């Protein structure tokens, strides 16, 4: 079926809520989250799948919402930063960011939080090198990486000295 | 981005039927990491976008001892890199994919899209055309800033480098791709899939406008030792300066067959028969590896600002050869030392 | 006269401790509302049309097709036909429509004809074609030729750093509603109070009818001190659209091409010393560009008043986007050129550069002793004496390690600032000001100082900033905000506390001058009440006090310095440089929030790694345009590129008594020089230009380009 170029009705599942939106097929998920749903946590910075400020989870995986069409995100479970502290109580990762002063201007922060959420789900006990490799998809201009690294290391479920099995190969 | 009509066929035949005989009006959308940026920058301005992600048959991955790796064009990079069979049988491939771009990109990008992604040449991306010719017919690349452009296969008119970091690895492993058109399917070597365009009406590969790259096939591992070595400026998420992939078969430490492919040095993945021939029959040591990398880069030439890439490519290749032969080599980025 | 002085060491409970920022929870939840996040009912979306040429005259503008695009509500011509354009991307027309897509389509329908004029976007030559250079008069001090003739060692080389961009993650932009003769402005700015005057002058709206807000700002670094064409165009579009709010946020390309850049610096430097290493002569021919707006001069020789000098500077006036102040303007440039020459001289003399610097430290003037102390701390942290090796004499093999150093100074003078402080009868305390928190922690600093003064917790203080209807305060530039707002807050708090004491003293049968507030209580040593109980006596009208920072004085000071050392590894076969470790030692007078001060230093080091290794605004002379107006080939430092960072803050006796001195900028001055020097130490040759990319490193090692 041909859809568009004008507005069409699409259904999204965002933060466990069904949303029906009228939009052109050319709109990105980021545009729809921000402009149609008022979820402005995800930011538009590079708008070209490089900086990570627009990171959200789609079916639990971190993705750049600037480079996904909203119409393509139907049938998926979309989670934005707004889903993490619905009643205002910060989750453990958010608390770790606050404690480690892992934010300055804060514009990149929601993207980092979502990226780190997925990263930790996959690797609950990261080493420093895991963090440096696994968080390379997000950029910060104020230079808060030291705090971000500290926040993620503080989330590690095992002692920080334990190298992951993959470590040797990466260094080889 | 210009508005477009969005089509989402449920099967391969319907998808192919929707394609057109000329480039430009219809674009295929898979992971979207490249196409959406191209549309935002008006580099491509399709009036129809064909989403192929509903075609479940294109989203399969199988590793078989006898048949090798068969992967549909829609399989995401992250899934390939994590697949136990790929990790076991194709470690260099798994490593190259796991190191490609960023985690977010790997969650979105598909293998088919990775092979069909457009060049990162900044003249192309800023809207000056794939071949970047000015109004007097001269190359903007040759007159301008070519620090990241091709050092091999760069006699023109294409000077960009082939952007995929995975394609050279697949070429070295002898991969083939299956391409489906309106009448039939054809399977060709990935090596011959890529080509340097000679006009703005061509693309960087062998696809016809009405064809779809449907799957990639890698032969079963033949016991050869493989290595992938990439040099880039940043520790993570950066385009390489040069990459080298090496697959070596040896008997009693003597090389019986070699496959050597350089990346980010030419408009296509660059296979070096010179280096392959030089290595064959030899017992590997540092001096043979150095000779082979010299031979591979002998045809290279600077466009004015990219001569350093010749050196970097030589080093990448030498280190990849030595790594495949079991020698210790410096890490691909000094921060990993 | 009230005593506003800072509590003395030992009696401070909050000032100088590690305080968690009060606004980070809003940032980690995505609830912090930046200008880009403002959504007003009926809001229109604006898009600008930029000139594609670096230098051109506008011949004609046809907006008729744009006006007919469905959803287009307003079109304004920013620069009229006949106007000369001096850089590519400069805005000519802006359109507003009901949504972003319609605005983009309308912008594409605008037709502008230009007549191209000759342009220059490069800056590598100090002698460009006529009209593109402004040579300044040579300056001479002493007898440089005599000094060179008698010197034991003379070095001469050319060093440079390119134009870089601020690359704020939140692009420039605003949401403006112009209705009933009044302007309601949300704008991403470092100067909330200052924008009022600018817009009033430019648009003829009385300043009293203009309200400017910036609750949060996604990075400025000096690039967001003006209303800009964008803010004014948003206002015009709103007026044309009958007062509907108009959002105009520039895209990344525009931000990178025109949103601000730091001038380049080039210099051919000749430096000499006698056999003991005493600096004797300096000669420099320097140049640089900041586009058509100038600002590309810098103070060399940096820090060292070399006895004999001859110097001449040329400003290249070319057609890149115009320069804007960027984090310690002019300093990183001067620092790189000077510290590289100094390290090269040390290598020629066969000296450890640390010894050479210390031998000449008296030439730096009154801060010499502080630098010495800081070098001592840095050298210990880096284990410099043990680990330093002569240039190029480190380990063999492809990966070479090296150390380098640099140091810097910055005024950090407190800027004019005012705040209003209220103590309510329920005990709640609010401080408000028309300042802004650009990510440096202004809110938290104000809360710390009020809490300290009242003996309360930081969380007890309500802070409101980012609104021009509050007490006017200067823009956040020059690292002056903590000094300005900190001093204003202290004065307001002390005055309010005295007013509180005066009110409650009768009820407590106490002498108001004996009362003290500490630990959540108010006491004269005999009777004690809780803060809340005390405030209950305030009565119907709350206590309000206005605090004004009167300028430099007892609560703040000017002039800080810092020393940095870098440890790098270089792959001499591929030319790739990586950071192992950076040590920064920084003084900044009385530290208010230690945690946030450390963050500023870490952030500056990381920004320093970025401009040392990666950042460059790459221009194409044929096209007159930036080739990397993105964050893909305009590389920003990533989390894997920073090595290990170590920051030491100088505090305690001799530092605290000075009061507040700003610290946001100074630590970004030295990283370029320290890293470049470390690379030279590692590989045995100087890489003369930043950024230290593989092509440049390999060229220095003799690999042909």
């Amino acid at each position: 079926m041909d859809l568009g170029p004008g507005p069409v009705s699409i259904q999204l599942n965002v933060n466990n809520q069904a949303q029906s939106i009228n939009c052109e097929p050319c709109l990105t998920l980021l545009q729809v989250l921000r402009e149609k749903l008022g979820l402005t946590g995800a930011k538009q910075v590079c708008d070209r799948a490089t900086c990570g400020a627009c990171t959200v989870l789609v079916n639990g995986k971190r993705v750049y919402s600037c480079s996904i069409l909203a119409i393509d995100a139907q049938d998926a479970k979309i989670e934005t930063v707004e889903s993490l502290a619905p009643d205002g109580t910060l989750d453990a990762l958010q608390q770790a960011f606050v404690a480690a002063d892992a934010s300055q201007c804060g514009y990149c922060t929601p993207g980092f939080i979502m990226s780190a959420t997925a990263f930790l789900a996959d690797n609950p006990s990261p080493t420093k090198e895991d963090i440096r490799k696994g968080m390379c998809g997000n950029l910060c201009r104020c230079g808060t990486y030291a705090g971000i690294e500290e926040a993620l290391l503080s989330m590690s479920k095992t002692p920080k000295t334990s190298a992951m099995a993959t470590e040797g190969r990466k260094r080889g | 981005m210009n508005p477009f009509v969005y089509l989402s066929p449920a099967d391969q035949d319907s998808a192919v039927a929707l394609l057109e005989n000329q480039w430009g009006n219809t674009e295929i959308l898979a992971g979207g990491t490249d196409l959406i940026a191209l549309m935002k920058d008006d580099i491509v301005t399709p009036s129809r976008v064909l989403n192929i992600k509903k075609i479940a048959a294109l989203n399969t991955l199988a590793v078989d001892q006898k048949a090798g790796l068969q992967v549909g064009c829609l399989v995401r990079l992250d899934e390939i890199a994590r697949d136990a069979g790929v990790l076991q049988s194709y470690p260099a491939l798994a490593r190259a994919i796991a190191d490609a771009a960023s985690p977010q990109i790997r969650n979105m990008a598909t293998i088919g899209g990775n092979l069909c992604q457009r060049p990162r040449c900044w003249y192309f991306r800023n809207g000056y055309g794939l071949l970047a010719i000015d109004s007097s017919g001269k190359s903007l690349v040759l007159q301008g800033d070519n620090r990241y452009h091709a050092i091999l296969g760069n006699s023109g008119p294409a000077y960009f480098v082939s952007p995929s970091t995975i394609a050279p690895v697949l070429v070295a492993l002898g991969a083939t791709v299956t391409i489906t058109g309106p009448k039939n399917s054809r399977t060709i070597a990935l090596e011959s899939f890529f080509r340097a365009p000679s006009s703005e009406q061509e693309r960087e590969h062998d696809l016809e406008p009405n064809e779809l790259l449907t799957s990639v096939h890698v032969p079963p591992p033949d016991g050869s030792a493989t290595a992938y070595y990439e040099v880039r400026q940043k520790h993570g998420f950066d385009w390489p300066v040069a990459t080298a992939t090496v697959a070596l078969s040896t008997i009693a430490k003597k090389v019986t067959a070699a496959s050597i492919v350089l990346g980010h040095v030419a408009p296509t993945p660059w296979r070096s028969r010179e280096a392959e021939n030089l290595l064959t029959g030899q017992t590997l040591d540092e001096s043979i590896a150095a000779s082979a990398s010299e031979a591979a880069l002998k045809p290279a030439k600077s466009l004015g600002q990219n001569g350093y890439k010749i050196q970097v490519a030589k080093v990448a290749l030498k280190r990849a050869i030595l790594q495949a032969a079991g020698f210790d080599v410096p890490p691909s980025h000094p921060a990993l030392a | 006269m009230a005593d506003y002085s800072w509590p003395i060491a030992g009696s401070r409970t909050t000032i100088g401790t590690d305080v968690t920022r009060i606004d980070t929870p809003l940032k980690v939840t995505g609830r912090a509302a930046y200008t880009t996040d403002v959504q007003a009912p009926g809001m229109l979306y604006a898009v600008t049309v930029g000139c594609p040429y670096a230098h051109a005259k506008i011949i004609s503008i046809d907006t008729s097709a744009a006006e007919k695009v469905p959803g287009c509500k307003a079109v304004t011509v920013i620069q009229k036909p006949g106007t000369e354009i001096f850089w590519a991307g400069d805005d000519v027309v802006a359109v507003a429509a009901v949504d972003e897509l319609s605005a983009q389509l309308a912008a594409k329908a605008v037709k502008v004809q230009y007549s191209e004029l000759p342009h220059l976007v490069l800056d590598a030559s100090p002698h460009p074609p006529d009209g593109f250079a402004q040579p300044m008069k040579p300056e001479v001090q002493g007898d440089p030729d005599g000094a060179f003739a008698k010197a034991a060692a003379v070095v001469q080389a050319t060093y440079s750093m390119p134009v870089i961009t601020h690359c704020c993650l939140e692009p420039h932009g605003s949401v403006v509603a112009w209705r009933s003769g009044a302007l309601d402005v949300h704008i991403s700015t470092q100067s909330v109070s200052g924008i009022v005057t600018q817009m009033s002058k430019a648009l003829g709206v009385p300043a009293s009818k203009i309200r400017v807000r910036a609750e949060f700002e996604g990075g400025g670094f000096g690039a967001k001190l003006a209303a800009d064409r964008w803010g004014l165009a948003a206002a015009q579009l709103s007026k044309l659209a009958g007062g509907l709010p108009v959002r105009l946020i520039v895209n990344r390309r525009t931000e990178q091409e025109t949103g601000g850049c730091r001038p380049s610096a080039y210099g051919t430097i000749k430096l000499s010393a006698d056999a003991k290493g005493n600096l004797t002569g300096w000669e420099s021919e320097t140049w640089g560009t900041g586009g058509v707006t100038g600002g590309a001069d810098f103070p060399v020789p940096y820090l060292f008043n070399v006895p004999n000098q001859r110097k001449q500077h040329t400003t290249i006036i070319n057609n890149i986007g115009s320069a804007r102040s960027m984090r310690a303007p002019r300093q990183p440039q001067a620092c790189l050129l000077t510290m590289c020459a100094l390290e090269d001289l040390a290598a020629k003399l066969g000296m450890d550069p640390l010894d050479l610097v210390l031998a000449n430290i008296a030439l730096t003037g009154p801060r010499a002793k502080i630098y010495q102390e800081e070098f001592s701390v840095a050298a210990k942290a880096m284990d410099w004496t043990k680990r330093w090796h002569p240039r190029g004499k480190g380990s063999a093999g492809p990966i070479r390690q090296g150390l380098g150093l640099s140091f810097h100074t910055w005024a950090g003078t407190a800027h004019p600032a005012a705040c209003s402080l209220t103590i309510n009868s329920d005990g709640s305390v609010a401080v408000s000001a028309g300042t802004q928190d650009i990510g440096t922690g202004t809110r938290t600093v104000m809360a710390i100082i009020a809490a300290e003064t009242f003996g309360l917790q930081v969380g007890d203080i309500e802070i409101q900033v980012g609104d021009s209807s509050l007490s006017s305060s200067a823009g956040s530039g020059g690292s002056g905000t903590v000094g300005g707002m900190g001093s204003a807050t202290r004065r307001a708090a002390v005055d309010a506390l005295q007013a509180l004491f005066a009110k409650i003293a009768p009820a407590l049968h106490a002498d108001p001058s004996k009362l003290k507030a500490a630990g959540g209580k108010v006491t004269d040593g005999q009777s004690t009440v809780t803060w809340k109980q005390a405030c209950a006596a305030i009565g119907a009208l709350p206590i309000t006090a206005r605090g004004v920072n009167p300028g430099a004085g007892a609560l703040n000071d000017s002039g800080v310095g810092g020393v940095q050392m870098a440890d790098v590894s270089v792959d001499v076969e591929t030319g790739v440089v990586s950071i192992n470790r950076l040590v920064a030692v920084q003084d900044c007078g009385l530290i208010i929030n230690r945690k946030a001060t450390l963050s500023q230093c870490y952030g500056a080091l990381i920004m320093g790694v970025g401009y040392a290794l990666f950042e460059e605004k790459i221009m194409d002379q044929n096209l007159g345009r930036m080739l990397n107006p993105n964050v893909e080939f305009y590389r920003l430092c990533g989390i894997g590129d920073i090595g290990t960072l170590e920051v030491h803050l100088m505090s305690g006796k001799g530092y605290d008594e000075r009061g507040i001195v700003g610290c946001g900028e100074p630590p970004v001055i030295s990283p370029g020089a320290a890293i470049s020097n470390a690379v030279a130490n590692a590989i045995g040759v100087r890489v003369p230009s930043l950024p230290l990319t593989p092509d440049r490193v390999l060229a220095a090692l003799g690999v042909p380009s």
Side-chain angles (χ1 to χ4, degrees):
Chain A
M1 190 177 64
D2 295 13
L3 297 170
V8 297
S9 174
I10 67 167
Q11 320 302 320
L12 294 178
N13 172 359
V14 183
N15 301 336
N16 278 325
Q17 284 192 323
Q19 302 278 1
S20 185
I21 297 129
N22 222 30
C23 74
E24 293 83 356
C26 67
L27 293 200
T28 64
L29 177 58
L30 178 64
Q31 285 174 303
V32 166
L33 290 173
R34 289 180 55 83
E35 308 303 332
K36 303 271 182 186
L37 300 176
L39 297 168
T40 54
K43 302 290 189 260
Q44 181 174 311
V45 174
C46 75
D47 204 26
R48 299 293 185 278
T50 309
C51 74
C54 66
T55 301
V56 301
L57 307 187
V58 170
N59 293 330
K61 290 179 187 292
R62 49 182 157 164
V63 298
Y64 297 132
S65 63
C66 74
S67 296
I68 293 176
L69 297 179
I71 196 170
D72 263 0
Q74 298 182 102
D75 312 320
K77 184 178 158 65
I78 299 158
E79 292 165 272
T80 71
V81 71
E82 287 86 354
S83 70
L84 299 184
D87 62 351
T89 310
L90 305 187
D91 75 10
L93 175 66
Q94 290 170 319
Q95 287 176 35
F97 264 61
V98 173
D101 209 25
S103 171
Q104 284 189 28
C105 85
Y107 209 68
C108 69
T109 307
F112 265 103
I113 291 280
M114 295 314 286
S115 185
T117 297
F119 170 70
L120 289 170
D122 200 38
N123 186 351
S125 298
T127 63
K128 187 165 157 171
E129 185 51 33
D130 294 335
I131 295 165
R132 293 190 169 199
K133 200 165 157 25
M135 293 299 295
C136 70
N138 292 71
L139 294 171
C140 166
R141 184 50 159 164
C142 299
T144 58
Y145 298 128
I148 291 166
E149 193 169 275
E150 187 183 316
L152 294 187
L153 284 172
S154 78
M155 296 289 292
S156 187
K157 302 275 190 252
T158 57
K160 286 163 199 171
T161 48
S162 83
M164 298 299 290
T166 54
E167 195 75 357
R169 199 187 63 204
K170 260 185 275 166
R171 287 170 187 270
Chain B
M1 192 181 332
N2 285 344
F4 49 75
V5 169
Y6 175 91
L7 304 143
S8 208
D11 60 71
Q12 193 175 303
D13 289 347
S14 332
V16 171
L18 288 164
L19 291 169
E20 299 179 59
N21 290 324
Q22 283 178 16
W23 294 113
N25 192 51
T26 300
E27 291 285 347
I28 296 167
L29 173 67
T33 53
D34 192 21
L35 180 65
I36 290 174
L38 288 163
M39 292 195 292
K40 284 176 181 171
D41 288 328
D42 292 332
I43 306 301
V44 297
T45 50
S47 67
R48 306 197 312 162
V49 166
L50 188 59
N51 170 44
I52 58 171
K53 288 189 292 295
K54 298 272 190 224
I55 309 171
L58 300 178
N59 196 6
T60 58
L61 186 156
V63 181
D64 181 273
Q65 290 285 332
K66 286 184 185 151
L69 167 67
Q70 185 81 26
V71 55
C73 65
L74 286 179
V75 180
R76 315 265 173 178
L77 300 185
D78 189 64
E79 289 168 48
I80 304 173
R82 286 172 191 262
D83 184 84
V86 174
L87 279 164
Q88 196 192 338
S89 302
Y90 307 97
L93 177 65
R95 186 177 162 159
I97 297 178
D99 200 35
S102 72
Q104 287 96 323
I105 294 275
R106 296 194 296 271
N107 284 334
M108 304 162 72
T110 64
I111 187 66
N114 180 276
L115 298 176
C116 295
Q117 66 179 304
R118 311 300 307 275
R120 309 308 300 187
C121 164
W122 45 29
Y123 295 99
F124 175 57
R125 295 279 165 171
N126 280 301
Y128 298 99
L130 186 58
L131 303 179
I133 306 292
D134 72 10
S135 54
S136 67
K138 286 194 286 190
S139 165
L140 290 168
V141 179
L142 296 183
Q143 301 173 77
D145 198 313
N146 48 50
R147 70 183 76 181
Y148 301 131
H149 285 82
I151 49 170
L152 286 160
N154 61 355
S155 51
Y159 299 102
F160 58 79
V161 294
S162 180
S164 169
T165 55
I166 300 166
V169 183
L170 287 169
V171 170
L173 295 175
T176 57
V177 287
T178 298
I179 293 166
T180 303
K183 296 205 177 104
N184 54 10
S185 282
R186 58 195 177 104
T187 295
I188 60 170
L190 181 60
E191 187 183 352
S192 52
F193 173 76
F194 293 103
R195 62 181 194 195
S198 54
S199 78
E200 289 290 336
Q201 283 70 48
E202 296 170 45
R203 289 210 171 169
E204 312 84 73
H205 45 63
D206 191 45
L207 276 182
E208 292 295 327
N210 60 1
E211 288 182 321
L212 186 63
L213 188 161
T214 47
S215 64
V216 181
H217 173 236
V218 186
D222 59 2
S224 62
T226 56
Y228 171 75
Y229 197 96
E230 173 175 328
V231 177
R232 62 178 175 232
Q233 292 186 44
K234 286 179 65 175
H235 177 272
F237 198 13
D238 197 3
W239 295 104
V241 179
T243 76
T245 311
V246 171
L248 298 176
S249 303
T250 50
I251 295 175
K253 296 207 170 176
K254 268 204 164 51
V255 176
T256 55
S259 180
I260 289 179
V261 185
L262 300 173
H264 276 255
V265 295
T268 63
W270 185 265
R271 184 155 186 187
S272 176
R273 307 276 178 198
E274 299 92 330
E276 291 173 1
N277 291 339
L278 196 142
L279 286 181
T280 307
Q282 302 287 333
T283 305
L284 280 171
D285 59 19
E286 176 131 12
S287 122
I288 291 293
S291 303
S293 61
E294 288 292 334
L297 274 300
K298 197 156 178 255
K301 70 168 200 283
S302 169
L303 298 176
Q305 288 146 297
N306 61 353
Y308 75 101
K309 288 187 58 162
I310 299 173
Q311 158 79 6
V312 172
K314 268 184 207 171
V315 174
L317 177 53
K318 186 180 120 185
R319 292 180 184 177
I321 293 168
L322 290 171
Q323 196 167 40
F327 292 87
D328 280 340
V329 297
S332 60
H333 193 285
L336 295 167
Chain C
M1 171 83 184
D3 177 13
Y4 300 111
S5 61
W6 297 109
I8 56 166
S11 73
R12 297 190 285 261
T13 57
T14 314
I15 286 177
T17 63
D18 287 314
V19 179
T20 299
R21 287 177 205 230
I22 57 177
D23 52 359
T24 312
L26 289 170
K27 294 173 178 172
V28 298
T29 53
R31 293 192 174 95
Y34 298 79
T35 302
T36 52
D37 303 332
V38 171
Q39 282 169 338
M43 184 173 80
L44 302 178
Y45 294 74
V47 170
T48 57
V49 179
C51 173
Y53 306 111
H55 190 194
K57 186 177 260 187
I58 304 172
I59 301 299
S60 67
I61 299 172
D62 178 1
T63 61
S64 55
E67 285 157 25
K68 291 189 192 101
V69 168
C72 180
K73 297 290 181 192
V75 179
T76 186
V77 172
I78 299 173
Q79 302 195 73
K80 292 189 172 67
T83 312
E84 196 173 337
I85 304 285
F86 293 97
W87 59 85
D90 197 12
D91 310 282
V92 176
V93 174
V95 302
V98 293
D99 56 29
E100 205 177 340
L101 180 59
S102 307
Q104 282 166 352
L105 295 175
K108 283 181 190 175
V110 172
K111 291 178 190 71
V112 185
Q113 276 194 311
Y114 301 91
S115 159
E116 277 190 81
L117 297 167
H119 67 251
L120 177 74
V121 294
L122 303 180
D123 55 8
S125 166
H127 308 295
D130 285 350
F132 291 108
Q134 277 182 358
M136 290 159 79
K137 274 193 187 152
E139 294 172 59
V140 181
Q141 164 179 311
D143 174 17
D145 295 326
F148 294 132
K150 280 183 274 180
V154 181
V155 289
Q156 183 168 1
T158 302
Y159 312 96
S160 69
M161 59 205 292
V163 173
I164 66 170
T165 71
H166 296 67
C167 198
C168 307
L169 294 195
E170 181 184 36
H172 283 73
S174 56
V175 180
V176 182
W178 187 350
R179 58 189 154 216
S180 312
L183 278 175
D184 186 10
V185 181
H186 294 266
I187 183 166
S188 184
T189 186
Q190 299 169 239
S191 184
V192 167
S193 300
I195 295 293
V196 175
T197 315
Q198 292 178 30
M199 291 192 102
S200 171
K201 274 189 187 158
L203 300 170
V205 177
S208 58
K209 298 272 189 196
I210 301 176
R211 184 179 181 194
V212 173
R213 280 176 279 183
E215 200 185 343
F216 290 93
E217 189 233 27
F221 314 109
K224 290 183 179 164
L225 290 157
D228 291 319
R229 295 199 209 289
W230 304 307
L232 304 180
Q236 298 288 7
L237 289 167
S238 172
K239 191 180 190 188
L240 290 168
L244 289 174
V246 171
R247 178 203 285 181
L248 195 166
I249 308 290
V250 307
N251 62 24
R252 183 54 39 188
R253 169 184 288 278
T254 303
E255 182 67 25
Q256 287 290 63
E257 283 200 304
T258 71
C261 64
R262 183 175 87 176
S264 58
Y266 294 77
T268 301
I269 312 290
K270 192 172 174 184
L271 182 63
S272 66
D274 65 19
K276 289 179 184 163
N278 296 306
L279 299 178
T280 56
W282 169 280
E283 187 177 82
S284 57
E285 183 194 12
T286 54
W287 69 97
T289 190
V292 291
T293 43
D297 55 308
F298 36 84
V300 287
Y302 192 59
L303 302 186
F304 294 98
N305 185 13
V306 181
N308 304 289
Q309 303 180 15
R310 179 187 297 114
K311 50 191 187 184
Q312 190 273 324
H313 180 80
T314 299
T315 295
I316 310 294
I317 302 293
N318 72 2
N319 305 99
I320 61 170
S322 75
R324 296 178 181 219
S325 57
M326 183 169 180
R327 209 168 183 181
R330 298 178 168 83
Q331 311 299 300
Q333 293 94 328
C335 183
L336 180 90
L337 268 48
T338 305
M339 299 301 164
C340 289
L342 201 78
E343 150 79 38
D344 286 353
L345 183 63
K348 187 151 188 184
L349 286 162
M351 282 179 84
D352 178 337
L354 179 56
D355 294 337
L356 183 65
V357 166
L358 292 176
N360 290 282
I361 204 75
L363 293 178
T364 63
R367 296 188 49 78
K369 191 171 158 293
I370 293 174
Y371 294 136
Q372 276 176 320
E373 281 180 33
E374 291 179 334
F375 269 113
S376 154
V377 174
K380 193 174 167 207
M382 191 53 100
D383 201 6
W384 179 278
T385 310
K386 194 172 148 208
R387 297 189 59 232
W388 182 82
H389 56 71
R391 178 175 285 193
K393 303 289 184 201
S395 55
I399 310 285
R400 308 281 171 84
Q401 176 275 338
L403 297 183
L405 59 80
S406 176
F407 66 123
H408 55 260
T409 189
W410 183 250
T413 311
H415 65 39
C419 70
S420 173
L421 188 147
T422 304
I423 305 175
N424 294 297
S425 60
D426 63 357
S428 61
V429 177
V431 192
S432 66
T435 184
Q436 50 281 319
D437 191 331
I438 62 173
T440 45
T442 311
R443 283 185 180 88
T444 311
V445 158
M446 292 166 68
I448 288 170
I449 290 168
E452 174 85 45
T453 308
F454 298 143
L456 298 173
Q457 301 292 312
V458 170
D460 295 334
I461 314 295
E462 204 60 44
I463 301 291
Q464 194 191 353
V465 298
D467 187 337
S468 68
S469 65
L470 306 171
S471 306
S472 294
S473 292
S476 290
S479 303
T481 306
V482 171
M485 285 317 309
S487 303
T489 305
R490 174 68 177 170
R491 293 172 71 96
V494 168
D495 285 347
L497 189 62
Q498 291 208 341
L500 175 70
F501 288 165
K503 277 216 167 165
I504 65 169
L508 289 174
H509 308 290
D511 174 354
S513 70
K514 297 260 164 64
L515 285 170
K516 289 193 167 24
K521 296 187 170 66
V522 176
T523 181
D524 65 350
Q526 313 265 319
S527 327
T528 299
V529 293
T530 65
W531 173 263
K532 277 203 163 183
Q533 287 166 340
C535 293
I538 289 175
L541 284 181
I543 291 171
T544 60
R546 185 173 154 78
V548 178
N549 175 44
L555 295 179
N556 50 65
D557 200 359
S558 290
V560 295
V563 163
Q564 294 186 4
M565 290 180 173
D567 175 346
V568 305
S569 285
V570 184
D571 187 327
V572 290
E573 295 182 354
T574 64
V576 177
V577 177
S578 79
I579 307 296
N580 300 321
R581 194 150 159 264
L582 295 175
V583 169
V585 182
Q586 183 67 42
D587 69 277
C588 60
L590 177 68
I591 294 164
I592 303 298
N593 185 356
R594 190 173 168 275
K595 202 178 210 173
T597 309
L598 287 168
S599 283
Q600 281 300 306
C601 294
Y602 286 129
L605 289 174
I606 290 167
M607 188 176 267
V609 174
Y611 79 74
L613 299 188
F614 306 123
E615 292 180 45
E616 183 182 4
K617 182 173 187 176
I618 301 172
M619 302 297 297
D620 183 280
Q621 176 58 24
N622 291 312
L623 303 169
R625 297 208 77 153
M626 184 177 180
L627 290 172
N628 55 342
N630 46 49
V631 295
E632 174 187 353
F633 288 109
Y634 189 91
R635 293 178 169 84
L636 297 178
C637 200
I639 195 168
D641 299 308
I642 63 173
T644 301
L645 309 175
E646 193 172 320
V647 176
H648 295 259
L649 297 175
M650 303 298 281
S651 60
K653 199 163 162 45
Y655 294 96
D656 294 4
E657 303 83 35
R658 303 181 59 203
I660 301 171
V661 198
C663 186
E665 290 163 281
V668 87
I669 297 167
S670 274
I675 292 167
S676 178
N677 284 339
V679 168
N681 181 252
I683 68 175
V685 291
R686 168 68 56 187
V687 184
S689 306
L690 299 186
L692 302 162
T693 48
D695 51 342
R696 293 181 177 88
V697 173
L698 291 175
L701 288 164
V703 173
S705 67

